[in-house]
Amino acid sequence: MNAPQIPRIVFPHCFPSASFKALRRWAAYTCLAATACCSSITGQAWAQSSPLDFANHVQPVLQANCVACHNQHKSEGGLNLESFEWMMKGGDSGPSLTVGKAMESEILKRVTAEDDSLMPPADNTVGAKHLDAAQIEMLQAWINTGALAGTANAMTRLQWKAIPDSVRPMYAMDTSTDGQTVVASRGNQVTVYRWPSITGAADTFSLVDPAVQAQLQSTAPATHLDLIQSIAVSPDAMRIATGGFRDVKIWRREVGPGSEGLASMLRGSRAIVGSPDGLTVAHATQTQSIAILRTDTGRLSHRLECPAPVDGLAWTSNGQRILAATNDAKVLQFELVSNPTDTVLQVFPSTTIAIEQPLTCLLILDDTSLIGMTPDRKLQWWTIAAATETSPWSIQKTERLADASNVVAFCRFEEAGQSRLAVATADGSVRIVAGNEGTTLRTLAHGAPVVDVAASGDHSKLTSLGADGVIKTWNATDGSLMWEQHLDYDTQRAIDRTESLAARQKSSLDRSLARVPELEKAKQGEVEAQGKLETAKTQMMEELSKKQAELETQDKNVAEGEAAVAAAKLAVEEAMKKVEQVQKDLEARQQQKLAAQKAKQEVETKIGTLEKNLAGAVQAIERAATGIANLQSKVEQEQQRFQELEKVATETKAQARSTPAVLTRFTRDHRSLITAHSDGTLHVYQADRGTPQAVFGGGFTNYVGMLTTQDGRVLAVTADGRAMGWSLGNRWALERTLGNASESLFSDRVTALDWSDDGAMLAVGSGEPSRFGDLKLIRVADGVMVKDWGPVHSDSILVVRFSPDGTMIATGAADKLIRVNRLEGDASPRTLEGHTHHVLGLAWHDDGHWIASGSADNTVKIWDVESGTAARTIPGFGKEVTAVAFVGRTNQLISSSADHQSRLHDAGNGSLIRALAGPSDALYCAVAAGKSPVAFAGGQDGVLWVWQLDNGQVLQQIK
């Protein structure tokens, strides 16, 4: 498999007729460009090549016309033409050739025959063509001149060209379980879409491999050299696998944590605060200065010198002034000047004002009020007087919120255009205060001591963190609770996993319990059959007794007749006539005896048959009883297993608690909520629903300040001066490439990929078209192949799926079959057979009982995995069914078809729930988010469609 590949154009099996036409038009450009010797060899071409050899002249011709049927996996007639050595070995008919004697060589006879032995056959299904005159002449000359092996020169290697921009079909797609990340291919490019909220705009990122761009001599984004037909997103949505021509690439999300770049410049911070536009960060340093940093360049913009260490910072709304509170009880104001050259400027405060107590956690309200927290956790409210021509700016303390004590955090938001202040206290409440007068409008009861509070930038939401680890988000307008969450992403996944295991076990238990009445009914039927047989036997025995009596009577009659004959013979002379009459009577009685004997034998035969049937009935009853006992034992075991799993799920859910958070902030786009925790982790939640999105580790344990930037980063500092940064944006980096066009574990295009449930393993399906389909298992950590099933199909594998419990892998292929292989052991695969065309899509139901398959025969089949039979066939598709996917744990099944439609069916009864309209071209891929009622699909025109599943509404279409 690692030998250099002969250049050729290979069209994927999964392309419906429409796309085959598009590819034929595209073939003029071809991303897999062959050299002159690839497809045909003219007389002029080989005549100028001296000497002729197998590698450069013969093999390209055989590869194009013969190897599809004569290879190591499919050697018809025992002949393998893949290599010089195998060709010289020959097949069942003997040696392929005789060196120096072309006309006596078997191979030349076969390619020039005028009868049914002509090769390749005219009715072949692999597109092989008969050799033309020039090719035959070249083959003959090669044999006659010594049949040299030769070594392939550089001209026979693959030469790649960039795919035209007009060729952008979407053949592959996958999504994370929460639907927030969708990855789709267009041609040889892959785009990652990330929706913090599916109704908003998506963040997009192109997976670009610079090595591919260099090889294609193109600046256009490129992920692989060739069309991409397989994509898989890892269960934790932190990795993406993409498949190309003989290679697999693993991409990892870049999230950090990191202490370099902008984060490194925040080391030693006493306080940090972001500017209103999110493009600038001010941080108070240990050297009694304030450094102003640009988040877009990561460079120092200003350095503001202070007379004492700074404990609090605040920006004015226009971002042109900074107020700083020092630990010697002073407040300073700095005017920032523009800095187009980005050089360091020192801007001294225009005024320094002494106050009663040091302030921390500064906040400027409407540029007219300064709010700060005193060391004894009380709020002080200062009115700001703007500078005039005759007087500098000043601040004056005002008495507001006099009853506020044990304040832990506060933030500003707007309500109906009016400023509001959310004040969190240690008594478990968040008070909403009118900014213009300081009166309390309402109080939000968190239910536990509050450690932090934050408002979204669009003023729609407030979030409070409790010391008990519970996060609550409130509607900022009316104070109603929007959601609460005490679980993080990893904990939620653990709970989901235990609940899934319990649900699968419950499903298996229910199926077993459902079989008990059937077996009981079958047993009752056998008992009733036994009773009928016993009754029939009694009747037969009575009839036998009657026949026995009749036989005994006839025996007596025969004996009397014989005595009469003997007596009659003594008087032969006197009663000859009487003897004759008695003889006739005897013969009649003998016939009656024979008839009685026959009747008796028939009854005895029937009784024997009845006895056999009775014995069989008894055995059937015993088997039924054994089956019921075994099933009851299995039910008991499954019941016990279900109870154990249910207990684990319940305990996991009951004990699940995130490490309490200490700080929280909304992202600048208002769509995600960030919480920093005392164990150093950073958690991300969907702001409008509270759905856990991610957990990032590697941080510190004593955060005291955190902010988010406009470009999607989170920056945090600790009490001991350390700093950390994370990137929450949709950014990915190439982690590992497995294989390439010349040297690879994979035999051909990688047309199928799937991750194991723990994200540690990657199943890879490939195979040369019309030859075989091979399956491999790759360990992601180091790229090592841990299992090779070999050619499990006789044609390319087009889809591969792990079972929900991770013990099996199902594959669908162009040979119309579905194979189910076990990961452990060497047991033969189970074959699901019934489709009449390529199997293009597969999906396991969450309980592992069903497999759904979509085929180019325009149907979907639902298979019972245990019995290996098709439970039902779903028709009604106008063209090929190109993909299928179950929606979460439900029976709902989403599909895509080349007839331009995506559909939602109930796999339990095959009924159509709704058609998802909109596309105007063939669809090749469809996925559904397990935790979100959203489906995605794409196809020939490269448009990504997004639907709301519960009503079929089109949410987005992205070109």
Side-chain angles (χ1 to χ4, degrees), residues 864-929:
D864 185 303
V865 178
E866 186 174 351
S867 66
T869 58
R872 65 190 52 83
T873 297
I874 303 176
F877 299 89
K879 289 186 177 180
E880 301 91 335
V881 181
T882 53
V884 291
F886 279 102
V887 181
R889 299 176 184 171
T890 71
N891 289 346
Q892 292 186 356
L893 184 74
I894 189 75
S895 62
S896 61
S897 173
D899 65 3
H900 307 181
Q901 280 197 351
S902 187
R903 296 172 174 84
L904 186 67
H905 283 89
D906 184 336
N909 55 29
S911 62
L912 177 65
I913 299 174
R914 66 179 50 86
L916 306 177
S920 59
D921 212 333
L923 295 177
Y924 301 144
C925 47
V927 292

Coordinates of all heavy atoms in Angstrom, one line a residue, residues 864-929:
D864 N -32.6 -4.0 12.6 CA -32.5 -4.5 14.0 C -31.1 -5.1 14.1 O -30.8 -6.1 13.5 CB -33.6 -5.6 14.2 CG -33.6 -6.1 15.7 OD1 -32.5 -6.6 16.1 OD2 -34.6 -6.0 16.3
V865 N -30.2 -4.5 14.9 CA -28.8 -5.0 15.0 C -28.7 -6.4 15.6 O -27.9 -7.2 15.1 CB -28.0 -4.0 15.9 CG1 -26.6 -4.5 16.0 CG2 -28.1 -2.6 15.3
E866 N -29.6 -6.7 16.5 CA -29.5 -8.0 17.2 C -29.8 -9.2 16.2 O -29.1 -10.2 16.2 CB -30.4 -8.1 18.4 CG -30.3 -9.4 19.2 CD -31.1 -9.3 20.5 OE1 -31.6 -8.3 20.8 OE2 -31.2 -10.4 21.2
S867 N -30.9 -9.0 15.4 CA -31.3 -10.0 14.5 C -30.6 -9.9 13.1 O -30.6 -10.9 12.4 CB -32.8 -10.0 14.3 OG -33.2 -8.8 13.7
G868 N -30.1 -8.7 12.8 CA -29.5 -8.5 11.5 C -30.4 -8.4 10.4 O -30.1 -8.5 9.2
T869 N -31.7 -8.1 10.7 CA -32.7 -8.0 9.7 C -33.2 -6.5 9.6 O -33.1 -5.8 10.5 CB -33.9 -8.9 9.9 OG1 -34.5 -8.6 11.2 CG2 -33.5 -10.4 10.0
A870 N -33.8 -6.2 8.4 CA -34.4 -4.9 8.2 C -35.7 -4.8 8.9 O -36.6 -5.5 8.5 CB -34.4 -4.5 6.7
A871 N -35.9 -3.9 9.9 CA -37.2 -3.8 10.5 C -38.2 -3.1 9.6 O -39.4 -3.4 9.7 CB -37.0 -3.0 11.8
R872 N -37.7 -2.2 8.8 CA -38.6 -1.5 7.9 C -37.8 -0.7 6.8 O -36.6 -0.5 7.0 CB -39.5 -0.5 8.6 CG -38.8 0.7 9.3 CD -39.8 1.5 10.1 NE -40.5 0.6 11.1 CZ -40.0 0.2 12.2 NH1 -38.7 0.6 12.6 NH2 -40.6 -0.6 13.0
T873 N -38.4 -0.5 5.7 CA -37.8 0.3 4.6 C -38.7 1.6 4.4 O -39.9 1.5 4.4 CB -37.8 -0.5 3.3 OG1 -37.0 -1.6 3.5 CG2 -37.2 0.4 2.2
I874 N -38.0 2.7 4.4 CA -38.7 4.0 4.2 C -38.5 4.5 2.8 O -37.3 4.8 2.4 CB -38.1 5.0 5.2 CG1 -38.3 4.5 6.7 CG2 -38.9 6.4 5.0 CD1 -37.7 5.5 7.7
P875 N -39.5 4.5 2.0 CA -39.4 5.0 0.6 C -39.7 6.4 0.5 O -39.8 7.1 1.5 CB -40.4 4.1 -0.2 CG -41.5 3.9 0.9 CD -40.8 3.9 2.2
G876 N -40.0 6.9 -0.7 CA -40.5 8.3 -0.9 C -39.4 9.3 -1.3 O -39.7 10.5 -1.3
F877 N -38.2 8.8 -1.6 CA -37.1 9.7 -2.0 C -37.0 9.7 -3.5 O -37.0 8.7 -4.1 CB -35.8 9.3 -1.3 CG -35.8 9.3 0.2 CD1 -36.2 8.2 0.9 CD2 -35.4 10.4 0.9 CE1 -36.2 8.1 2.2 CE2 -35.5 10.4 2.3 CZ -35.8 9.3 2.9
G878 N -36.8 10.9 -4.0 CA -36.8 11.1 -5.5 C -35.5 10.6 -6.1 O -35.4 10.2 -7.2
K879 N -34.4 10.7 -5.3 CA -33.1 10.3 -5.8 C -32.3 9.7 -4.6 O -32.9 9.3 -3.6 CB -32.3 11.5 -6.4 CG -32.8 11.9 -7.7 CD -31.9 13.0 -8.3 CE -32.4 13.4 -9.7 NZ -31.6 14.5 -10.3
E880 N -31.0 9.6 -4.7 CA -30.1 8.9 -3.7 C -30.3 9.6 -2.3 O -30.4 10.8 -2.2 CB -28.7 9.0 -4.1 CG -28.3 8.4 -5.4 CD -28.4 9.4 -6.6 OE1 -29.2 10.4 -6.5 OE2 -27.7 9.1 -7.6
V881 N -30.4 8.7 -1.3 CA -30.3 9.2 0.1 C -28.9 9.2 0.5 O -28.2 8.2 0.6 CB -31.1 8.3 1.0 CG1 -31.1 8.8 2.4 CG2 -32.6 8.1 0.5
T882 N -28.3 10.4 0.7 CA -26.9 10.6 0.8 C -26.4 10.6 2.2 O -25.2 10.4 2.4 CB -26.5 11.9 0.1 OG1 -27.3 13.0 0.6 CG2 -26.7 11.8 -1.4
A883 N -27.3 10.9 3.2 CA -26.8 10.9 4.6 C -28.0 10.7 5.5 O -29.1 11.1 5.1 CB -26.1 12.2 4.9
V884 N -27.8 10.1 6.7 CA -28.8 10.0 7.7 C -28.2 10.3 9.1 O -27.0 10.0 9.3 CB -29.5 8.6 7.7 CG1 -30.3 8.4 6.4 CG2 -28.4 7.5 7.8
A885 N -29.0 10.8 10.0 CA -28.6 11.0 11.3 C -29.7 11.0 12.3 O -30.8 11.7 12.0 CB -27.8 12.3 11.4
F886 N -29.6 10.3 13.4 CA -30.7 10.4 14.4 C -30.5 11.7 15.2 O -29.4 12.3 15.4 CB -30.6 9.2 15.4 CG -31.2 8.0 14.9 CD1 -30.4 7.0 14.4 CD2 -32.6 7.8 14.9 CE1 -30.9 5.8 13.9 CE2 -33.1 6.6 14.4 CZ -32.3 5.6 13.9
V887 N -31.7 12.2 15.7 CA -31.7 13.5 16.4 C -31.6 13.1 17.9 O -32.6 12.7 18.5 CB -33.0 14.3 16.1 CG1 -33.0 15.6 16.9 CG2 -33.1 14.6 14.6
G888 N -30.5 13.3 18.5 CA -30.3 13.0 19.9 C -30.7 11.6 20.3 O -30.3 10.7 19.6
R889 N -31.4 11.4 21.3 CA -31.9 10.1 21.8 C -33.2 9.7 21.3 O -33.8 8.7 21.7 CB -31.9 10.1 23.3 CG -30.5 10.3 24.0 CD -30.6 10.4 25.5 NE -29.4 10.7 26.1 CZ -29.2 11.0 27.4 NH1 -30.2 11.0 28.2 NH2 -28.0 11.3 27.9
T890 N -33.8 10.5 20.4 CA -35.1 10.3 19.9 C -35.1 9.3 18.7 O -34.1 8.9 18.2 CB -35.8 11.6 19.4 OG1 -35.1 12.0 18.2 CG2 -35.6 12.7 20.5
N891 N -36.3 9.0 18.2 CA -36.5 8.1 17.1 C -36.5 9.0 15.8 O -36.7 8.4 14.7 CB -37.8 7.3 17.1 CG -37.7 6.2 18.2 OD1 -36.6 5.9 18.6 ND2 -38.8 5.6 18.5
Q892 N -36.4 10.3 15.9 CA -36.4 11.1 14.8 C -35.1 11.0 14.0 O -34.0 11.0 14.5 CB -36.6 12.6 15.2 CG -38.0 12.9 15.7 CD -38.2 14.3 16.0 OE1 -37.4 15.2 15.8 NE2 -39.4 14.7 16.5
L893 N -35.3 10.9 12.6 CA -34.2 10.7 11.7 C -34.1 11.7 10.7 O -35.1 11.9 9.9 CB -34.3 9.3 11.1 CG -33.1 8.8 10.2 CD1 -31.9 8.4 11.1 CD2 -33.6 7.6 9.4
I894 N -33.0 12.5 10.6 CA -32.8 13.5 9.6 C -32.1 12.8 8.4 O -31.2 12.0 8.6 CB -32.1 14.7 10.1 CG1 -32.1 15.8 9.1 CG2 -30.7 14.3 10.5 CD1 -33.4 16.5 9.0
S895 N -32.5 13.2 7.2 CA -31.8 12.6 6.0 C -31.6 13.7 4.9 O -32.3 14.8 5.0 CB -32.6 11.5 5.4 OG -33.9 12.0 5.0
S896 N -30.7 13.5 4.0 CA -30.5 14.4 2.9 C -30.5 13.5 1.6 O -30.2 12.4 1.7 CB -29.1 15.1 3.0 OG -28.0 14.2 3.0
S897 N -31.0 14.2 0.6 CA -31.1 13.4 -0.7 C -30.7 14.3 -1.9 O -30.7 15.5 -1.8 CB -32.6 13.0 -0.9 OG -32.8 12.4 -2.1
A898 N -30.3 13.6 -2.9 CA -30.0 14.3 -4.2 C -31.2 14.9 -4.9 O -31.0 15.6 -5.9 CB -29.2 13.4 -5.1
D899 N -32.4 14.7 -4.3 CA -33.6 15.3 -4.9 C -33.9 16.7 -4.4 O -35.0 17.2 -4.5 CB -34.8 14.4 -4.7 CG -35.2 14.2 -3.2 OD1 -34.5 14.9 -2.4 OD2 -36.1 13.5 -2.9
H900 N -32.8 17.3 -3.7 CA -32.8 18.7 -3.2 C -33.6 18.8 -1.9 O -33.8 20.0 -1.5 CB -33.5 19.6 -4.2 CG -32.9 19.6 -5.6 ND1 -33.4 20.4 -6.6 CD2 -31.9 18.8 -6.1 CE1 -32.7 20.1 -7.7 NE2 -31.8 19.2 -7.5
Q901 N -33.9 17.7 -1.2 CA -34.7 17.8 0.0 C -34.0 17.2 1.2 O -33.3 16.1 1.0 CB -36.1 17.2 -0.1 CG -37.1 18.1 -0.8 CD -38.5 17.7 -0.6 OE1 -38.8 16.7 -0.1 NE2 -39.4 18.5 -1.0
S902 N -34.2 17.7 2.3 CA -33.8 17.1 3.6 C -35.1 16.8 4.3 O -36.1 17.6 4.2 CB -33.0 18.0 4.5 OG -32.5 17.3 5.6
R903 N -35.2 15.6 4.9 CA -36.5 15.1 5.5 C -36.3 14.7 6.9 O -35.2 14.3 7.3 CB -37.1 14.0 4.7 CG -37.4 14.4 3.3 CD -37.8 13.1 2.5 NE -38.3 13.4 1.1 CZ -37.6 13.6 0.1 NH1 -36.2 13.5 0.2 NH2 -38.1 13.8 -1.1
L904 N -37.4 14.8 7.7 CA -37.4 14.3 9.1 C -38.4 13.2 9.2 O -39.6 13.4 8.9 CB -37.7 15.4 10.0 CG -37.6 15.1 11.5 CD1 -36.1 14.9 11.9 CD2 -38.1 16.3 12.4
H905 N -38.0 12.0 9.5 CA -38.9 10.8 9.6 C -38.9 10.3 11.1 O -38.0 10.6 11.9 CB -38.4 9.7 8.7 CG -38.7 9.8 7.3 ND1 -37.9 10.5 6.4 CD2 -39.8 9.4 6.6 CE1 -38.4 10.5 5.2 NE2 -39.6 9.8 5.3
D906 N -39.9 9.5 11.4 CA -40.0 8.8 12.6 C -39.5 7.4 12.3 O -40.2 6.6 11.6 CB -41.4 8.7 13.2 CG -41.5 8.0 14.5 OD1 -40.6 7.2 14.8 OD2 -42.5 8.3 15.3
A907 N -38.3 7.0 12.8 CA -37.8 5.7 12.4 C -38.6 4.6 13.0 O -38.5 3.4 12.6 CB -36.3 5.6 12.9
G908 N -39.4 4.9 14.1 CA -40.2 3.8 14.7 C -41.2 3.3 13.8 O -41.5 2.1 13.9
N909 N -41.8 4.1 13.0 CA -42.9 3.6 12.1 C -42.7 4.0 10.6 O -43.5 3.7 9.8 CB -44.3 4.1 12.6 CG -44.3 5.7 12.7 OD1 -43.6 6.4 12.0 ND2 -45.1 6.1 13.7
G910 N -41.6 4.8 10.4 CA -41.3 5.2 9.0 C -42.1 6.3 8.5 O -41.9 6.7 7.3
S911 N -42.9 7.0 9.3 CA -43.7 8.1 8.8 C -42.9 9.3 8.7 O -41.9 9.6 9.4 CB -44.9 8.4 9.8 OG -44.3 8.8 11.1
L912 N -43.3 10.2 7.7 CA -42.7 11.4 7.4 C -43.2 12.5 8.4 O -44.4 12.7 8.4 CB -42.9 11.9 6.0 CG -42.3 13.2 5.5 CD1 -40.8 13.2 5.6 CD2 -42.8 13.6 4.2
I913 N -42.3 13.1 9.1 CA -42.7 14.2 10.1 C -42.8 15.5 9.3 O -43.8 16.2 9.4 CB -41.7 14.3 11.2 CG1 -41.7 13.0 12.0 CG2 -42.1 15.5 12.1 CD1 -40.7 12.9 13.1
R914 N -41.8 15.8 8.6 CA -41.8 17.0 7.7 C -40.7 17.0 6.7 O -39.6 16.4 7.0 CB -41.8 18.3 8.5 CG -40.5 18.6 9.3 CD -40.6 19.9 10.1 NE -41.8 20.0 10.8 CZ -42.0 19.5 12.1 NH1 -40.9 19.0 12.7 NH2 -43.1 19.7 12.7
A915 N -40.8 17.7 5.6 CA -39.8 17.9 4.7 C -39.2 19.3 4.9 O -39.9 20.2 5.2 CB -40.3 17.8 3.2
L916 N -37.9 19.4 4.9 CA -37.2 20.7 5.1 C -36.9 21.3 3.8 O -35.9 20.9 3.1 CB -35.9 20.4 6.0 CG -36.2 19.7 7.3 CD1 -34.9 19.4 8.0 CD2 -37.1 20.5 8.2
A917 N -37.6 22.3 3.4 CA -37.5 22.8 2.0 C -36.5 23.9 2.0 O -36.1 24.5 3.0 CB -38.9 23.3 1.6
G918 N -36.2 24.3 0.8 CA -35.3 25.4 0.5 C -34.2 25.2 -0.5 O -34.1 26.0 -1.4
P919 N -33.4 24.1 -0.4 CA -32.3 23.9 -1.3 C -32.8 23.7 -2.8 O -33.9 23.2 -3.0 CB -31.7 22.6 -0.8 CG -32.0 22.6 0.6 CD -33.4 23.2 0.7
S920 N -32.0 24.2 -3.7 CA -32.3 24.1 -5.1 C -31.4 23.2 -5.9 O -31.3 23.2 -7.1 CB -32.4 25.5 -5.8 OG -31.1 26.1 -5.6
D921 N -30.5 22.4 -5.1 CA -29.6 21.5 -5.8 C -29.4 20.3 -4.9 O -30.0 20.2 -3.8 CB -28.2 22.2 -5.9 CG -27.5 21.7 -7.2 OD1 -27.7 20.6 -7.6 OD2 -26.7 22.5 -7.7
A922 N -28.7 19.3 -5.4 CA -28.6 18.0 -4.7 C -27.9 18.2 -3.4 O -26.9 19.0 -3.2 CB -27.7 17.1 -5.6
L923 N -28.4 17.6 -2.3 CA -27.8 17.6 -1.0 C -27.0 16.3 -0.8 O -27.5 15.2 -1.1 CB -28.9 17.7 0.1 CG -29.7 19.0 0.1 CD1 -30.8 18.9 1.2 CD2 -28.9 20.2 0.3
Y924 N -25.8 16.4 -0.2 CA -24.9 15.3 0.0 C -24.7 15.0 1.4 O -24.1 13.9 1.7 CB -23.6 15.5 -0.7 CG -23.7 15.8 -2.2 CD1 -22.9 16.7 -2.9 CD2 -24.7 15.1 -3.0 CE1 -23.0 16.9 -4.2 CE2 -24.8 15.3 -4.3 CZ -23.9 16.2 -4.9 OH -24.0 16.4 -6.3
C925 N -25.0 15.9 2.4 CA -24.7 15.7 3.8 C -25.7 16.3 4.6 O -26.3 17.4 4.3 CB -23.3 16.1 4.1 SG -22.9 17.8 3.5
A926 N -26.0 15.7 5.8 CA -26.9 16.3 6.8 C -26.5 15.8 8.1 O -26.1 14.6 8.3 CB -28.3 15.9 6.4
V927 N -26.6 16.7 9.1 CA -26.3 16.3 10.5 C -27.3 17.0 11.4 O -28.0 18.0 11.0 CB -24.9 16.7 10.9 CG1 -23.9 15.9 10.2 CG2 -24.6 18.2 10.7
A928 N -27.5 16.5 12.6 CA -28.4 17.1 13.6 C -27.7 17.3 14.9 O -26.9 16.4 15.3 CB -29.7 16.3 13.7
A929 N -28.0 18.3 15.6 CA -27.4 18.6 16.9 C -28.2 17.8 17.9 O -29.4 17.9 18.0 CB -27.4 20.1 17.2

